[in-house]
Amino acid sequence: MPVNNIHGRDREMTAHPGKDRRRSTAGRWAGLRRTAAMGAAALTAAAAVVLAAGSPASAALNNYTFAGLADWDHDGHIDIVARDAVGDLYIYPGDSQRAFSSQPPTPIGTAWNGYTFAGIADGNQDGNQDIVTTDPAGALWLYPGQSTRAPSALHPSPIGDGWNCYTFTGVTDHGCTFVGVTDWDGDGYPDIIARDTDGNLWGYWGDSTGSYDSSRQGLIGNGWNGYTFAGIADVNRDNRPDIVAMGADGVLWLYSGQNIRGPGGLSGAPISDGWNGYTFAGVTDWDTDGYQDVIARETTGDLWAYWGDSTGTYNIFQRTRVGSCW
């Protein structure tokens, strides 16, 4: 696992999305343990490459992969967690302003190349935000946060197996896509929302065990091929998470959730157009005004916030640059 922790003992994994949905055993984990210690010297070196302007440094544009948006350091402001081209993981601290953040990015981990992010949520119910991710072998992991701007001292935990379809190494794309991690069904536990290669949208239901079992998998909808997911958030302010997604024509859509496990409840409405060419970091209330904002990267490497309001739509021309060199 990336970061400065060593895997614990082998455990049997209990989730297998996909058509056969078979459970796998812990034997496939032999040889996957590794450690990526980050000492004070490594932290100093990583910090040296950070731009003073408050955005990550990069030799080329669009080299950052977004893990998600969340209040990672528990200071009341939404932050961006992202991986750079060499595999270092950063927190880009927000300060709830409609401008560049005054807080510099901070490295929180190393050796993250080859991992595919499902999203950020409090997966272990300890009050801290965690990262849910797959490794190159298709195993699902929980990287526990500690609400700090430093690498976590806690051990990553294996929480599922057989997620190979959702693993993207930069060479192989199996066609499955994570939408996000959120409490979709309203039971108090974060769920994984994902699309398979046939365009079906699935919910993998979380529970008190903190793992994801194939018996707790439910179809939410179908016909989702061709969509690029911007994020999951309560855009229409009904206390239920909604999906924001872009069609192949660049139109942004809002699909309203209903806190149910199963098909139905997802009524779509167009909310904006002209979004072709953007890479989405997520949907969140970046400026803490009570409305969900879209955070997206332009091909120039600039990071923009598109502000939500009471209309539930997004004007592509009403935006503020919140970062550069992304």
Side-chain angles (χ1 to χ4, degrees):
M1 186 65 185
V3 306
N4 52 330
N5 291 311
I6 302 174
H7 290 332
R9 64 185 184 278
D10 290 337
R11 294 167 51 186
E12 183 173 349
M13 301 299 99
T14 55
H16 194 297
K19 294 184 178 178
D20 57 5
R21 302 184 181 89
R22 295 168 296 180
R23 297 189 184 183
S24 300
T25 63
R28 65 183 298 170
W29 293 97
L32 289 181
R33 296 191 202 125
R34 53 186 167 145
T35 180
M38 176 184 274
L43 281 173
T44 302
V49 302
V50 177
L51 288 181
S55 294
S58 178
L61 298 178
N62 306 328
N63 273 345
Y64 285 81
T65 301
F66 298 106
L69 307 178
D71 183 6
W72 181 261
D73 54 4
H74 205 62
D75 67 349
H77 307 296
I78 298 298
D79 313 308
I80 300 172
V81 179
R83 177 187 65 212
D84 69 11
V86 299
D88 292 334
L89 195 67
Y90 283 85
I91 172 180
Y92 174 83
D95 54 13
S96 299
Q97 302 298 315
R98 294 192 175 191
F100 276 65
S101 175
S102 61
Q103 304 298 315
T106 303
I108 59 173
T110 59
W112 280 84
N113 278 347
Y115 287 80
T116 303
F117 299 109
I120 300 178
D122 183 8
N124 56 13
Q125 304 284 294
D126 67 350
N128 303 311
Q129 296 297 310
D130 313 308
I131 298 174
V132 178
T133 182
T134 59
D135 68 15
L140 192 70
W141 291 87
L142 179 78
Y143 170 82
Q146 293 185 292
S147 296
T148 65
R149 297 183 187 180
S152 176
L154 300 176
H155 291 291
S157 301
I159 56 175
D161 189 19
W163 291 77
N164 304 72
C165 186
Y166 294 91
T167 296
F168 176 63
T169 64
V171 177
T172 302
D173 185 353
H174 300 287
C176 299
T177 303
F178 287 115
V179 180
V181 182
T182 187
D183 183 11
W184 182 259
D185 56 1
D187 67 351
Y189 301 105
D191 312 305
I192 297 175
I193 310 301
R195 179 187 65 201
D196 67 17
T197 55
D198 295 324
N200 297 315
L201 200 65
W202 295 90
Y204 298 92
W205 314 120
D207 66 5
S208 60
T209 68
S211 61
Y212 293 88
D213 191 290
S214 59
S215 66
R216 300 193 313 274
Q217 173 183 342
L219 181 67
I220 297 175
N222 51 36
W224 285 83
N225 277 339
Y227 285 88
T228 300
F229 296 101
I232 303 179
D234 181 16
V235 175
N236 58 13
R237 294 160 58 94
D238 65 353
N239 296 317
R240 300 164 180 170
D242 312 308
I243 296 174
V244 179
M246 179 185 69
D249 56 359
V251 174
L252 203 64
W253 289 78
L254 175 70
Y255 294 89
S256 302
Q258 298 293 322
N259 285 153
I260 60 174
R261 293 188 178 187
L266 280 176
S267 57
I271 54 176
S272 186
D273 59 10
W275 291 86
N276 291 105
Y278 285 84
T279 299
F280 297 100
V283 181
T284 188
D285 185 6
W286 182 259
D287 56 355
T288 63
D289 68 348
Y291 301 103
Q292 302 297 320
D293 312 307
V294 176
I295 310 299
R297 179 181 65 206
E298 204 170 11
T299 55
T300 59
D302 290 330
L303 194 68
W304 296 89
Y306 298 86
W307 309 113
D309 58 21
S310 59
T311 67
T313 61
Y314 297 93
N315 189 327
I316 198 78
F317 300 108
Q318 293 180 354
R319 63 182 187 175
T320 301
R321 191 170 63 171
V322 296
S324 61
C325 298
W326 281 88

